[in-house]
Amino acid sequence: MVINTRLPRCNGIAVLFVISLLSPAFALHYNETLELLVPDISYFPDSLQLRQFTCRAVTANAYWLVQDTTFIDLPPGEDEFQLIWGNIVTQAGIDTISSQFEGAGVGVFESVTSVFGPVPETPNDDDRLWIVFADIRDYYPNPGAGATRLGNWAYVWPEDLDGNESTGNNHDIVYINVGPYKNMSGGLWEANRLKIHTWSVPTGLGQFLRTARNPQEEKWLVRGLGIFAQHLCYGLTSAHNGLIGIVVMLDDFARGGGIELTSWSSGRRGHDFGANLAAEFLWLKYIEQRFGIGVIGEIAMSSRSGMLNVATAIDPSVPEQQAVESVVYPVYESWLVTNLVSHIAGDFQGGIYSYGFLEGSGYDFTIINAPASFI
Protein backbone atom coordinates (compact mmCIF):
# COMPACT_ATOMS: atom_id res chain seq x y z
CA MET A 1 0.00 0.00 0.00
CA VAL A 2 1.39 3.41 -0.98
CA ILE A 3 0.91 6.32 1.41
CA ASN A 4 1.17 9.93 0.24
CA THR A 5 4.07 11.36 2.22
CA ARG A 6 2.96 14.95 1.51
CA LEU A 7 0.62 15.09 4.50
CA PRO A 8 -0.87 18.44 5.46
CA ARG A 9 0.38 20.12 8.58
CA CYS A 10 -1.64 18.81 11.51
CA ASN A 11 -1.33 17.31 14.92
CA GLY A 12 1.25 14.48 14.99
CA ILE A 13 -1.18 12.12 16.70
CA ALA A 14 -3.70 12.72 13.94
CA VAL A 15 -1.06 11.91 11.32
CA LEU A 16 -0.25 8.65 13.06
CA PHE A 17 -3.97 7.86 13.23
CA VAL A 18 -4.39 8.41 9.48
CA ILE A 19 -1.36 6.25 8.71
CA SER A 20 -2.68 3.47 10.94
CA LEU A 21 -5.96 3.51 9.04
CA LEU A 22 -4.23 3.33 5.69
CA SER A 23 -1.59 0.75 6.61
CA PRO A 24 -2.28 -2.98 6.52
CA ALA A 25 -2.66 -4.48 9.98
CA PHE A 26 -0.18 -7.23 9.22
CA ALA A 27 2.70 -6.79 6.80
CA LEU A 28 4.95 -9.76 7.42
CA HIS A 29 8.67 -9.95 6.77
CA TYR A 30 10.91 -12.83 5.82
CA ASN A 31 11.96 -14.88 8.88
CA GLU A 32 9.37 -13.20 11.09
CA THR A 33 7.72 -15.56 13.59
CA LEU A 34 4.23 -15.47 15.05
CA GLU A 35 1.69 -17.77 16.66
CA LEU A 36 -1.45 -19.00 14.89
CA LEU A 37 -4.26 -21.31 15.85
CA VAL A 38 -4.16 -24.58 13.92
CA PRO A 39 -7.65 -25.58 12.76
CA ASP A 40 -8.96 -29.04 13.58
CA ILE A 41 -11.13 -30.71 10.93
CA SER A 42 -11.44 -34.06 12.71
CA TYR A 43 -14.79 -35.77 13.17
CA PHE A 44 -14.32 -35.21 16.91
CA PRO A 45 -12.20 -32.05 17.06
CA ASP A 46 -9.90 -31.38 19.98
CA SER A 47 -9.25 -28.03 21.64
CA LEU A 48 -7.44 -25.69 19.28
CA GLN A 49 -3.72 -25.22 19.74
CA LEU A 50 -1.48 -22.19 19.20
CA ARG A 51 1.68 -23.07 17.27
CA GLN A 52 4.68 -21.04 16.12
CA PHE A 53 5.03 -20.27 12.41
CA THR A 54 7.81 -18.58 10.51
CA CYS A 55 7.51 -16.57 7.31
CA ARG A 56 9.77 -18.38 4.84
CA ALA A 57 9.08 -16.30 1.71
CA VAL A 58 7.33 -13.14 0.58
CA THR A 59 6.12 -12.95 -3.02
CA ALA A 60 3.97 -10.51 -4.96
CA ASN A 61 0.67 -12.06 -3.92
CA ALA A 62 1.39 -14.14 -0.82
CA TYR A 63 3.23 -14.64 2.43
CA TRP A 64 4.50 -18.20 2.87
CA LEU A 65 4.49 -19.46 6.45
CA VAL A 66 5.51 -22.84 7.83
CA GLN A 67 4.74 -24.37 11.21
CA ASP A 68 8.05 -24.94 12.97
CA THR A 69 7.22 -28.13 14.90
CA THR A 70 4.29 -30.49 15.41
CA PHE A 71 3.16 -32.54 18.36
CA ILE A 72 0.69 -34.91 16.67
CA ASP A 73 1.10 -38.09 14.65
CA LEU A 74 4.76 -38.42 15.58
CA PRO A 75 7.02 -40.87 13.73
CA PRO A 76 8.53 -43.88 15.50
CA GLY A 77 11.27 -42.82 17.88
CA GLU A 78 9.92 -39.29 18.42
CA ASP A 79 8.30 -38.92 21.83
CA GLU A 80 7.73 -35.17 22.16
CA PHE A 81 7.71 -33.31 18.86
CA GLN A 82 8.60 -33.49 15.17
CA LEU A 83 10.37 -30.84 13.11
CA ILE A 84 8.37 -29.64 10.13
CA TRP A 85 10.74 -26.98 8.87
CA GLY A 86 13.82 -28.46 7.23
CA ASN A 87 12.32 -31.93 7.43
CA ILE A 88 8.83 -32.11 5.90
CA VAL A 89 8.93 -28.65 4.30
CA THR A 90 12.21 -27.13 3.10
CA GLN A 91 13.34 -23.79 1.71
CA ALA A 92 13.96 -25.39 -1.69
CA GLY A 93 10.38 -26.68 -1.68
CA ILE A 94 8.92 -23.31 -0.71
CA ASP A 95 11.00 -21.59 -3.40
CA THR A 96 9.74 -24.02 -6.05
CA ILE A 97 6.08 -23.80 -5.03
CA SER A 98 6.05 -20.03 -4.58
CA SER A 99 7.75 -19.42 -7.93
CA GLN A 100 5.08 -21.50 -9.68
CA PHE A 101 2.42 -19.60 -7.74
CA GLU A 102 3.64 -16.33 -9.23
CA GLY A 103 4.80 -17.61 -12.66
CA ALA A 104 7.52 -20.09 -13.62
CA GLY A 105 5.47 -21.46 -16.50
CA VAL A 106 2.44 -22.18 -14.29
CA GLY A 107 1.21 -18.92 -12.76
CA VAL A 108 -1.18 -20.47 -10.24
CA PHE A 109 -2.45 -17.14 -8.90
CA GLU A 110 -3.18 -15.70 -12.34
CA SER A 111 -4.60 -18.97 -13.70
CA VAL A 112 -7.09 -19.41 -10.87
CA THR A 113 -8.13 -15.80 -10.41
CA SER A 114 -8.66 -15.37 -14.15
CA VAL A 115 -11.49 -17.93 -13.87
CA PHE A 116 -12.66 -17.57 -10.25
CA GLY A 117 -12.40 -13.79 -10.11
CA PRO A 118 -10.03 -11.55 -8.14
CA VAL A 119 -9.33 -11.90 -4.44
CA PRO A 120 -12.34 -10.18 -2.86
CA GLU A 121 -12.39 -7.73 0.00
CA THR A 122 -12.61 -9.55 3.32
CA PRO A 123 -13.05 -8.40 6.92
CA ASN A 124 -9.29 -8.91 7.34
CA ASP A 125 -6.77 -6.16 6.71
CA ASP A 126 -4.17 -8.17 4.78
CA ASP A 127 -2.17 -6.93 1.81
CA ARG A 128 -1.44 -10.48 0.58
CA LEU A 129 -2.77 -13.98 0.91
CA TRP A 130 -1.22 -16.13 3.62
CA ILE A 131 -0.20 -19.61 2.43
CA VAL A 132 0.23 -21.49 5.70
CA PHE A 133 1.78 -24.96 5.86
CA ALA A 134 0.41 -26.60 9.01
CA ASP A 135 -0.09 -30.06 10.50
CA ILE A 136 -3.88 -30.00 10.68
CA ARG A 137 -5.65 -32.65 12.75
CA ASP A 138 -7.92 -34.56 10.35
CA TYR A 139 -8.82 -37.71 12.27
CA TYR A 140 -11.96 -39.62 11.23
CA PRO A 141 -13.41 -42.89 12.51
CA ASN A 142 -12.08 -45.89 10.66
CA PRO A 143 -14.18 -49.02 11.29
CA GLY A 144 -12.09 -51.65 13.03
CA ALA A 145 -9.03 -49.44 13.43
CA GLY A 146 -10.08 -46.42 15.48
CA ALA A 147 -9.66 -42.87 14.25
CA THR A 148 -6.98 -42.34 11.60
CA ARG A 149 -6.01 -39.39 9.43
CA LEU A 150 -7.97 -38.56 6.27
CA GLY A 151 -5.00 -37.30 4.29
CA ASN A 152 -6.59 -33.89 3.73
CA TRP A 153 -4.47 -31.69 1.45
CA ALA A 154 -5.83 -28.15 1.77
CA TYR A 155 -8.33 -26.28 3.89
CA VAL A 156 -9.90 -22.86 4.23
CA TRP A 157 -11.28 -22.01 7.66
CA PRO A 158 -14.58 -20.12 7.27
CA GLU A 159 -14.04 -18.60 10.72
CA ASP A 160 -11.07 -16.68 9.29
CA LEU A 161 -13.42 -14.87 6.93
CA ASP A 162 -16.68 -14.38 8.81
CA GLY A 163 -15.80 -11.09 10.50
CA ASN A 164 -16.01 -12.58 14.00
CA GLU A 165 -12.83 -11.52 15.77
CA SER A 166 -13.26 -14.11 18.51
CA THR A 167 -12.91 -17.10 16.16
CA GLY A 168 -10.26 -18.23 13.69
CA ASN A 169 -7.01 -16.42 12.94
CA ASN A 170 -8.74 -13.62 11.03
CA HIS A 171 -6.34 -13.51 8.11
CA ASP A 172 -6.77 -14.40 4.44
CA ILE A 173 -5.28 -17.86 4.90
CA VAL A 174 -4.97 -20.89 2.65
CA TYR A 175 -3.92 -23.83 4.85
CA ILE A 176 -1.76 -26.52 3.25
CA ASN A 177 -1.91 -29.66 5.36
CA VAL A 178 1.53 -31.25 5.73
CA GLY A 179 0.01 -34.39 7.26
CA PRO A 180 -0.27 -36.67 4.18
CA TYR A 181 2.61 -39.17 4.13
CA LYS A 182 4.66 -36.99 6.47
CA ASN A 183 6.17 -39.99 8.25
CA MET A 184 7.14 -41.86 5.08
CA SER A 185 10.91 -41.71 4.70
CA GLY A 186 13.16 -41.72 1.65
CA GLY A 187 13.69 -39.65 -1.46
CA LEU A 188 10.63 -41.04 -3.26
CA TRP A 189 8.31 -39.86 -0.50
CA GLU A 190 10.05 -36.50 -0.30
CA ALA A 191 9.27 -36.06 -4.00
CA ASN A 192 5.68 -37.21 -3.49
CA ARG A 193 5.14 -34.77 -0.63
CA LEU A 194 6.52 -31.90 -2.72
CA LYS A 195 4.04 -32.77 -5.49
CA ILE A 196 1.16 -32.89 -3.02
CA HIS A 197 2.14 -29.54 -1.49
CA THR A 198 2.52 -28.03 -4.96
CA TRP A 199 -0.88 -29.26 -6.17
CA SER A 200 -2.50 -28.29 -2.87
CA VAL A 201 -1.82 -24.59 -3.38
CA PRO A 202 -4.27 -24.05 -6.29
CA THR A 203 -6.69 -26.39 -4.51
CA GLY A 204 -6.61 -24.18 -1.45
CA LEU A 205 -6.71 -20.98 -3.53
CA GLY A 206 -9.87 -22.16 -5.29
CA GLN A 207 -11.45 -22.98 -1.94
CA PHE A 208 -10.40 -19.61 -0.53
CA LEU A 209 -11.82 -17.55 -3.39
CA ARG A 210 -15.19 -19.25 -3.00
CA THR A 211 -15.27 -19.13 0.81
CA ALA A 212 -14.20 -15.46 0.88
CA ARG A 213 -17.21 -14.61 -1.28
CA ASN A 214 -19.59 -16.67 0.83
CA PRO A 215 -18.30 -18.22 4.09
CA GLN A 216 -21.59 -20.19 4.30
CA GLU A 217 -21.10 -21.96 0.96
CA GLU A 218 -21.82 -25.69 1.10
CA LYS A 219 -18.69 -27.71 1.70
CA TRP A 220 -19.12 -30.07 -1.26
CA LEU A 221 -19.06 -27.16 -3.69
CA VAL A 222 -16.09 -25.48 -2.01
CA ARG A 223 -14.09 -28.71 -2.20
CA GLY A 224 -15.11 -29.36 -5.80
CA LEU A 225 -13.99 -25.90 -6.87
CA GLY A 226 -10.65 -26.60 -5.18
CA ILE A 227 -10.05 -29.70 -7.31
CA PHE A 228 -11.24 -27.80 -10.38
CA ALA A 229 -8.55 -25.18 -9.65
CA GLN A 230 -5.92 -27.89 -9.19
CA HIS A 231 -6.79 -29.33 -12.60
CA LEU A 232 -6.80 -25.85 -14.12
CA CYS A 233 -3.14 -25.42 -13.16
CA TYR A 234 -1.69 -28.94 -13.27
CA GLY A 235 -4.08 -31.11 -15.30
CA LEU A 236 -4.87 -34.68 -14.26
CA THR A 237 -2.42 -34.90 -11.40
CA SER A 238 -0.95 -38.32 -10.71
CA ALA A 239 1.97 -39.60 -8.66
CA HIS A 240 3.17 -42.84 -7.12
CA ASN A 241 1.89 -44.97 -10.01
CA GLY A 242 -1.51 -43.34 -10.00
CA LEU A 243 -2.13 -43.73 -6.27
CA ILE A 244 -1.90 -40.00 -5.50
CA GLY A 245 -3.73 -37.16 -7.25
CA ILE A 246 -6.89 -36.50 -9.23
CA VAL A 247 -6.53 -39.76 -11.15
CA VAL A 248 -6.95 -41.94 -8.05
CA MET A 249 -9.95 -39.84 -6.99
CA LEU A 250 -11.60 -40.57 -10.34
CA ASP A 251 -10.84 -44.25 -9.89
CA ASP A 252 -12.38 -44.10 -6.40
CA PHE A 253 -15.54 -42.54 -7.83
CA ALA A 254 -15.84 -45.20 -10.53
CA ARG A 255 -15.99 -47.94 -7.92
CA GLY A 256 -17.45 -46.05 -4.96
CA GLY A 257 -20.98 -46.87 -3.90
CA GLY A 258 -23.60 -44.80 -2.11
CA ILE A 259 -22.37 -41.31 -2.89
CA GLU A 260 -24.64 -38.29 -2.71
CA LEU A 261 -23.14 -35.41 -4.69
CA THR A 262 -24.19 -32.69 -2.25
CA SER A 263 -22.93 -34.59 0.81
CA TRP A 264 -19.15 -34.14 0.83
CA SER A 265 -18.41 -37.16 3.05
CA SER A 266 -21.04 -39.63 1.83
CA GLY A 267 -18.55 -42.02 0.23
CA ARG A 268 -15.63 -44.00 1.55
CA ARG A 269 -13.15 -41.98 3.54
CA GLY A 270 -10.04 -42.96 1.55
CA HIS A 271 -8.00 -40.13 0.01
CA ASP A 272 -9.96 -37.50 1.98
CA PHE A 273 -13.26 -38.84 0.63
CA GLY A 274 -11.63 -38.88 -2.78
CA ALA A 275 -14.66 -40.38 -4.54
CA ASN A 276 -16.72 -37.40 -3.41
CA LEU A 277 -14.01 -34.99 -4.56
CA ALA A 278 -14.02 -36.65 -7.99
CA ALA A 279 -17.81 -36.47 -8.23
CA GLU A 280 -17.76 -32.76 -7.36
CA PHE A 281 -14.95 -32.14 -9.85
CA LEU A 282 -16.68 -34.04 -12.67
CA TRP A 283 -19.94 -32.22 -12.02
CA LEU A 284 -18.18 -28.87 -12.42
CA LYS A 285 -16.27 -30.04 -15.50
CA TYR A 286 -19.55 -31.20 -17.02
CA ILE A 287 -21.10 -27.79 -16.34
CA GLU A 288 -18.09 -26.13 -17.95
CA GLN A 289 -18.42 -28.40 -20.98
CA ARG A 290 -22.12 -27.68 -21.41
CA PHE A 291 -22.23 -23.96 -20.59
CA GLY A 292 -18.68 -22.56 -20.77
CA ILE A 293 -16.02 -21.77 -18.22
CA GLY A 294 -17.62 -18.40 -17.50
CA VAL A 295 -20.33 -20.23 -15.55
CA ILE A 296 -17.63 -21.63 -13.22
CA GLY A 297 -16.59 -18.05 -12.52
CA GLU A 298 -20.19 -17.12 -11.77
CA ILE A 299 -20.43 -20.02 -9.32
CA ALA A 300 -17.16 -18.99 -7.66
CA MET A 301 -18.25 -15.36 -7.23
CA SER A 302 -21.93 -15.86 -6.33
CA SER A 303 -23.56 -14.76 -3.08
CA ARG A 304 -25.83 -17.81 -3.24
CA SER A 305 -24.90 -21.32 -2.18
CA GLY A 306 -25.28 -24.96 -3.15
CA MET A 307 -27.35 -26.04 -6.12
CA LEU A 308 -29.19 -22.71 -6.18
CA ASN A 309 -25.81 -21.12 -6.85
CA VAL A 310 -25.25 -23.55 -9.73
CA ALA A 311 -28.73 -23.03 -11.16
CA THR A 312 -28.60 -19.24 -11.19
CA ALA A 313 -25.09 -19.28 -12.65
CA ILE A 314 -26.31 -21.41 -15.55
CA ASP A 315 -29.47 -19.36 -16.16
CA PRO A 316 -29.93 -16.22 -14.05
CA SER A 317 -33.22 -15.42 -15.82
CA VAL A 318 -35.12 -18.25 -14.09
CA PRO A 319 -36.87 -17.30 -10.82
CA GLU A 320 -35.03 -18.69 -7.82
CA GLN A 321 -38.05 -20.66 -6.65
CA GLN A 322 -37.96 -22.70 -9.87
CA ALA A 323 -34.25 -22.58 -10.67
CA VAL A 324 -33.01 -25.85 -9.18
CA GLU A 325 -35.88 -27.94 -10.54
CA SER A 326 -36.03 -26.43 -14.01
CA VAL A 327 -32.32 -25.76 -14.60
CA VAL A 328 -30.29 -28.22 -12.51
CA TYR A 329 -32.40 -31.37 -12.67
CA PRO A 330 -32.17 -31.90 -16.45
CA VAL A 331 -28.42 -31.24 -16.43
CA TYR A 332 -27.93 -33.53 -13.44
CA GLU A 333 -29.78 -36.36 -15.15
CA SER A 334 -27.59 -35.99 -18.25
CA TRP A 335 -24.52 -35.96 -16.01
CA LEU A 336 -25.56 -39.24 -14.39
CA VAL A 337 -25.87 -40.83 -17.83
CA THR A 338 -22.49 -39.39 -18.80
CA ASN A 339 -20.84 -41.15 -15.87
CA LEU A 340 -22.26 -44.43 -17.14
CA VAL A 341 -21.43 -44.14 -20.84
CA SER A 342 -18.75 -41.48 -21.26
CA HIS A 343 -16.15 -44.04 -22.35
CA ILE A 344 -18.29 -45.11 -25.34
CA ALA A 345 -20.57 -42.13 -26.03
CA GLY A 346 -18.25 -40.24 -28.38
CA ASP A 347 -20.09 -37.53 -30.33
CA PHE A 348 -23.56 -38.95 -29.70
CA GLN A 349 -26.07 -36.12 -29.17
CA GLY A 350 -23.34 -33.59 -29.81
CA GLY A 351 -20.99 -35.11 -27.25
CA ILE A 352 -23.08 -34.22 -24.19
CA TYR A 353 -22.62 -37.74 -22.77
CA SER A 354 -18.84 -37.78 -22.87
CA TYR A 355 -16.11 -35.88 -21.03
CA GLY A 356 -14.32 -33.85 -23.68
CA PHE A 357 -11.53 -32.81 -21.32
CA LEU A 358 -10.43 -36.43 -20.99
CA GLU A 359 -9.95 -36.92 -24.72
CA GLY A 360 -6.26 -37.33 -25.44
CA SER A 361 -5.38 -37.26 -21.74
CA GLY A 362 -4.38 -40.91 -21.62
CA TYR A 363 -6.92 -41.54 -18.88
CA ASP A 364 -10.21 -43.38 -19.44
CA PHE A 365 -12.96 -42.88 -16.93
CA THR A 366 -15.04 -46.04 -16.96
CA ILE A 367 -17.27 -47.98 -14.60
CA ILE A 368 -16.59 -51.31 -16.33
CA ASN A 369 -16.00 -53.94 -13.61
CA ALA A 370 -16.63 -51.28 -10.98
CA PRO A 371 -19.97 -51.00 -9.14
CA ALA A 372 -20.37 -47.24 -9.41
CA SER A 373 -22.11 -44.81 -7.10
CA PHE A 374 -24.46 -43.64 -9.83
CA ILE A 375 -25.98 -46.98 -10.81
Side-chain angles (χ1 to χ4, degrees), residues 16-288:
L16 292 174
F17 175 73
V18 171
I19 291 176
S20 69
L21 289 177
L22 295 176
S23 301
F26 282 88
L28 295 177
H29 303 284
Y30 175 73
N31 246 9
E32 183 176 348
T33 62
L34 73 163
E35 289 189 329
L36 294 172
L37 288 169
V38 178
D40 188 335
I41 59 175
S42 301
Y43 191 82
F44 297 109
D46 205 343
S47 57
L48 297 178
Q49 301 295 314
L50 276 172
R51 295 290 178 247
Q52 180 172 291
F53 291 77
T54 303
C55 182
R56 300 298 179 177
V58 179
T59 60
N61 292 293
Y63 297 113
W64 301 81
L65 295 95
V66 182
Q67 184 178 338
D68 293 340
T69 57
T70 183
F71 300 86
I72 65 170
D73 189 20
L74 302 181
E78 297 287 352
D79 296 327
E80 297 182 1
F81 67 91
Q82 179 182 18
L83 292 174
I84 293 179
W85 180 246
N87 178 28
I88 300 168
V89 181
T90 66
Q91 189 66 59
I94 290 294
D95 292 345
T96 296
I97 297 169
S98 62
S99 65
Q100 291 183 27
F101 184 77
E102 302 292 359
V106 181
V108 167
F109 183 82
E110 175 62 27
S111 297
V112 178
T113 57
S114 67
V115 175
F116 285 42
V119 177
E121 292 291 329
T122 72
N124 307 319
D125 198 11
D126 294 325
D127 63 345
R128 288 172 172 83
L129 294 173
W130 293 33
I131 312 295
V132 174
F133 291 75
D135 197 3
I136 298 173
R137 294 185 80 256
D138 58 347
Y139 290 93
Y140 260 62
N142 193 27
T148 55
R149 301 192 75 171
L150 283 178
N152 167 267
W153 285 16
Y155 180 66
V156 174
W157 200 1
E159 284 83 349
D160 284 338
L161 300 162
D162 62 6
N164 185 344
E165 294 184 0
S166 65
T167 60
N169 288 305
N170 298 303
H171 289 289
D172 294 351
I173 298 179
V174 173
Y175 297 91
I176 306 303
N177 196 350
V178 302
Y181 307 109
K182 76 183 180 89
N183 293 329
M184 302 296 287
S185 60
L188 173 62
W189 285 106
E190 289 179 10
N192 285 336
R193 283 194 295 270
L194 178 58
K195 290 177 181 178
I196 291 172
H197 296 162
T198 302
W199 300 336
S200 296
V201 170
T203 305
L205 177 58
Q207 292 183 11
F208 174 86
L209 292 172
R210 179 66 202 124
T211 306
R213 298 277 184 182
N214 182 1
Q216 282 74 49
E217 179 58 277
E218 295 177 13
K219 193 169 182 177
W220 70 272
L221 192 50
V222 172
R223 282 163 53 95
L225 286 166
I227 301 301
F228 188 99
Q230 181 185 147
H231 179 265
L232 192 66
C233 296
Y234 292 105
L236 288 176
T237 53
S238 178
H240 204 61
N241 296 319
L243 297 177
I244 297 172
I246 292 175
V247 164
V248 74
M249 297 174 192
L250 294 172
D251 289 342
D252 286 347
F253 180 45
R255 58 176 176 262
I259 286 177
E260 181 183 351
L261 176 62
T262 56
S263 176
W264 73 273
S265 58
S266 57
R268 295 180 179 178
R269 44 156 292 161
H271 305 113
D272 189 17
F273 295 100
N276 291 91
L277 286 169
E280 296 148 9
F281 167 65
L282 286 177
W283 171 237
L284 291 169
K285 290 300 292 184
Y286 188 72
I287 290 170
E288 177 197 4

Side-chain angles (χ1 to χ4, degrees), residues 293-359:
I293 199 166
V295 172
I296 303 301
E298 293 296 327
I299 292 171
M301 292 185 284
S302 175
S303 61
R304 299 174 180 85
S305 62
M307 281 300 185
L308 179 60
N309 178 0
V310 174
T312 54
I314 293 173
D315 190 348
S317 68
V318 178
E320 287 191 5
Q321 297 87 342
Q322 306 167 16
V324 173
E325 182 176 354
S326 62
V327 177
V328 170
Y329 283 7
V331 180
Y332 182 77
E333 290 172 355
S334 296
W335 176 69
L336 292 178
V337 174
T338 301
N339 290 325
L340 291 169
V341 304
S342 62
H343 58 293
I344 57 173
D347 294 330
F348 178 71
Q349 293 290 309
I352 69 167
Y353 297 115
S354 62
Y355 286 118
F357 79 98
L358 291 177
E359 294 180 7

